[in-house]
Structure formats: C-alpha cells, structure tokens
Amino acid sequence: MVVPDAVYKRVTVFSTLFAVAAVVGGFLVLDVATDRATAELSEVQPLVALAGVGLIAAGAVTYAFSTRFRADGMGNAKEETDERSDNG
Amino acid sequence: MSIERKDEHDHESWMESRDLTAIEEIYLTVLLWLDRRLRIVDYLEILENMYYKVNFQMPKSHTEQYNLDNKFWYWYPLYALGSFSTIAYVVAAISGALLGFYYAPGAGASNGTPDLAYNSITFIMTDLNFGFFLRSLHRWSAQVMVAAVFLHMLRVYFTGAYKEPRELNWIIGIVLISLTMVFGYTGYLLPWDQLAFWAGQIGVEMSLSIPLIGEWVAQLLFGGFTLSQSTVQRMYILHVFVLPFVTTGLIAVHIGIVWMQGIAEPH
C-alpha cells in the first residue's frame, strides 16, 4: 500500500516505537508473572503470563503490519533481489 | 479561508483515493492523530538536519560512485565495529569510574590471606547495591571492546582501508589495540585473586625474559622481580590514571582523522 512520504515517516516512527515498547513491556510483564522464569509451575500467574506473551505478540504484529505501508518508489521485500536479470 | 497552500495533511482526501481496508484506515488515522499532537517526526527531522550539518557532505556510496554491481552490502555491518568499540569504551569508562568509588588497591604479603584489594572486590560483589551489576558491566564492556577492536582491525585490513592516505591512522590504530590489551591486563590484575596473582607472575617472568632491558621493564611495570604491594599500585595507576588519558586522547585523534579523511572506500 503506497502512502505519501510524510505518512510513511509517521507510520515508521510510531510503529517502531509501539513495537519496541510492547515487546520490552511484554517481557517485563512475563518476568513478573513467572518471577523471571524461576517460579514453580503452581506459582505462575497464568493470566499475567498470557498478557505478557500477548504484548510481545502485539508488538511483533504491529511491526509486521506497519511494513504494509510503503513510500513511493519502495519495492516490496519479497520482490527484492541482488541478482540482475541481464547476466551482470 | 487561508491562502496557504494545502499540504496532504490539511485533509484526508488522499486516503479516499486509496483502497484501504478498515484496519489500515484506523491504524493510519490513529498514528497521524498521535503525531499531529506529539510531533515526534518533526523532532527527528530536526535531529536528521543537525546530522547533515555536522557531516557537511554525504558522499555517494562507493557502489554508486563506481557503478559497481551491488555486491558489497554485506560488508556494511562490519563498518560499525569502530563506533561499537568506542561505545564499549565509554561504557567501561563510566562503570569503571563508579567502581573506583569502592575499589581500593592494596596487597599485603602473599601468604594467602585476602588483602585489601580482594576484600574491596568482595564488598562490591556481595554487599554493594548493584555492585555485582556494576562490576559485570565493566568486565563485559571490556571484553566486548577487545573483541570489537580486533574485528575492527580485521575489517580495515581486508577492505584495504589502511592504504594511502590513511597509513598514519592505521599506525595509531595499532597503538590503540595495544593500549586496549594493556588496559585489559592491568585491570585483570586489580582484584588480586589467584587468577590475577598468577597472571601477574607470568607478566613478571615475561618481562624478565626480555634481553638487556628485561630487569628494567619488570621494575618499571611490576615494581620488582616478585609481586608485591607495588605491583597492585602500579597496575592501578596505569589502569585509572595513565591509560585513560593516553587512550582517550588517541581515540579522539583516531576518530578525528577518520572524520577529516572520510570513510575509506574499498578499491
């Protein structure tokens, strides 16, 4: 989806910001729920742990979703190649 | 009615011109709403502007300049090793300065009783809040710096970046990698535990093995032919007083020359 340059900048900046915050925050929450992965299984708080994993996933999804938006002249990642089609 | 020319953000008409799904439209609207209030992108652009003013030219990449087919890109991460070394050095300097508030260089007779230096390390590691973290940070950044400096040297060599007109900076780099290793060695001896003691013993014997000037070198660096309080004290002064000034100054010159000459392009 090609968007104006100014929009592309805003999408990139804020998506990255959200993704980083969500992934880092997700790990923090997960650490709290599992006492930094040292808690006994019975001590783990399942809801909080799931919330942490969910946050991490949300960050990843946000980042992945943001890559749909491209500025004019940008290729698609899947179309990129270093090979030239004219034998050099 | 303003006579200002409308930019694409005065209205949302560009959105209608595109085939956006509901999710995409909501997503974009939220982000634009946020940025119109926080202006983060504007601030980043100011930073970007400052960057270009400091580096008053952004030369073409060599692949553009020489019209090479773009096969050199995989070198680029290796071009970050110099700044990576510098960052590791800064982290080590800051954490080291903080450790200096708690460490004391002192060794009694080598009869097996723990000495002042070792006790201060024990205090840092067990009693001091964040002491374990601080010392670990210092040790890791030191290890990382040695590794990064070495890999940086390999990169410079294999991309030919040491060639004319950059020979002087290569020489300075050789001096810097040596200073880095001396930094590592002097710091290694400071805890004055078994590891440090025997590493010091090896150092003394290596010094003594040098023809003609061996005894003089051992006296100068280790304060004698056997390890003693003088050894710890000299290692400490080298580590916190002599080397920081010399190394920091040389790094500044090293980076300054890179800044003046520009990044080397491979040939």
Side-chain angles (χ1 to χ4, degrees):
Chain A
M1 178 57 61
V2 177
V3 297
D5 283 7
V7 175
Y8 172 77
K9 272 185 190 170
R10 279 150 185 83
V11 168
T12 305
V13 168
F14 279 92
S15 304
T16 309
L17 213 59
F18 284 145
V20 170
V23 170
V24 173
F27 272 106
L28 290 177
V29 172
L30 193 57
D31 272 354
V32 169
T34 60
D35 196 13
R36 292 184 321 205
T38 60
E40 296 295 325
L41 197 57
S42 56
E43 301 288 305
V44 173
Q45 307 168 45
L47 284 180
V48 184
L50 280 175
V53 175
L55 259 179
I56 295 169
V61 168
T62 303
Y63 174 76
F65 185 74
S66 72
T67 59
R68 301 170 63 81
F69 303 102
R70 299 177 170 275
D72 212 17
M74 286 175 69
N76 254 321
K78 61 179 184 298
E79 292 161 4
E80 272 168 27
T81 175
D82 290 330
E83 304 295 337
R84 298 221 306 245
S85 52
D86 56 358
N87 287 330
Chain B
M1 282 291 286
S2 125
I3 52 168
E4 241 179 280
R5 205 160 48 81
K6 286 193 186 315
D7 66 52
E8 57 204 3
H9 293 296
D10 289 344
H11 48 86
E12 303 290 338
S13 65
W14 68 268
M15 269 206 195
E16 271 108 63
S17 70
R18 285 173 177 75
D19 199 11
L20 292 166
T21 62
I23 292 183
E24 286 173 335
E25 197 159 333
I26 293 166
Y27 187 77
L28 289 178
T29 310
V30 169
L31 294 198
L32 292 176
W33 185 93
L34 273 171
D35 188 62
R36 224 166 292 157
R37 279 146 189 86
L38 300 176
R39 290 284 173 203
I40 290 182
V41 172
D42 286 2
Y43 285 111
L44 285 174
E45 279 176 348
I46 290 170
L47 283 178
E48 189 186 20
N49 222 335
M50 281 161 61
Y51 171 84
Y52 285 125
K53 284 202 172 69
V54 171
N55 301 277
F56 37 86
Q57 56 165 354
M58 283 292 289
K60 281 182 177 174
S61 77
H62 57 269
T63 46
E64 289 167 351
Q65 190 157 356
Y66 299 118
N67 218 355
L68 307 169
D69 70 343
N70 199 345
K71 282 281 182 257
F72 201 79
W73 58 266
Y74 52 73
W75 280 102
Y76 290 160
L78 303 179
Y79 276 70
L81 285 166
S83 37
F84 191 59
S85 312
T86 313
I87 291 166
Y89 181 66
V90 170
V91 172
I94 293 170
S95 55
L98 292 173
L99 283 171
F101 288 133
Y102 304 102
Y103 172 81
S110 49
N111 60 358
T113 50
D115 300 306
L116 182 60
Y118 185 79
N119 287 335
S120 65
I121 297 285
T122 309
F123 167 77
I124 289 169
M125 294 294 279
T126 55
D127 291 344
L128 180 65
N129 282 341
F130 290 102
F132 201 120
F133 168 76
L134 201 58
R135 182 169 175 233
S136 302
L137 189 64
H138 191 66
R139 289 207 67 214
W140 275 107
S141 56
Q143 307 277 8
V144 162
M145 182 186 171
V146 171
V149 161
F150 182 77
L151 293 172
H152 174 61
M153 181 183 72
L154 290 185
R155 194 282 293 170
V156 167
Y157 180 75
F158 285 115
T159 57
Y162 58 90
K163 290 176 180 173
E164 187 265 338
R166 295 176 224 273
E167 313 92 329
L168 175 65
N169 227 13
W170 171 259
I171 301 294
I172 292 175
I174 298 293
V175 174
L176 275 173
I177 202 171
S178 313
L179 286 171
T180 305
M181 288 189 291
V182 178
F183 236 130
Y185 182 71
T186 52
Y188 198 61
L189 297 200
L190 293 185
W192 213 240
D193 50 6
Q194 282 293 307
L195 194 66
F197 184 87
W198 295 108
Q201 186 60 36
I202 290 167
V204 170
E205 287 173 23
M206 280 173 72
S207 304
L208 287 172
S209 73
I210 304 171
L212 296 175
I213 57 165
E215 295 186 349
W216 179 77
V217 170
Q219 286 277 13
L220 181 76
L221 290 179
F222 296 92
F225 302 154
T226 52
L227 301 179
S228 65
Q229 165 64 21
S230 309
T231 314
V232 189
Q233 220 159 341
R234 279 172 196 229
M235 289 297 150
Y236 180 70
I237 291 301
L238 280 173
H239 193 78
V240 305
F241 188 74
V242 179
L243 285 168
F245 289 110
V246 178
T247 312
T248 306
L250 265 184
I251 289 175
V253 172
H254 193 68
I255 294 173
I257 290 176
V258 170
W259 188 47
M260 287 190 304
Q261 293 184 330
I263 304 283
E265 293 169 351
H267 298 288

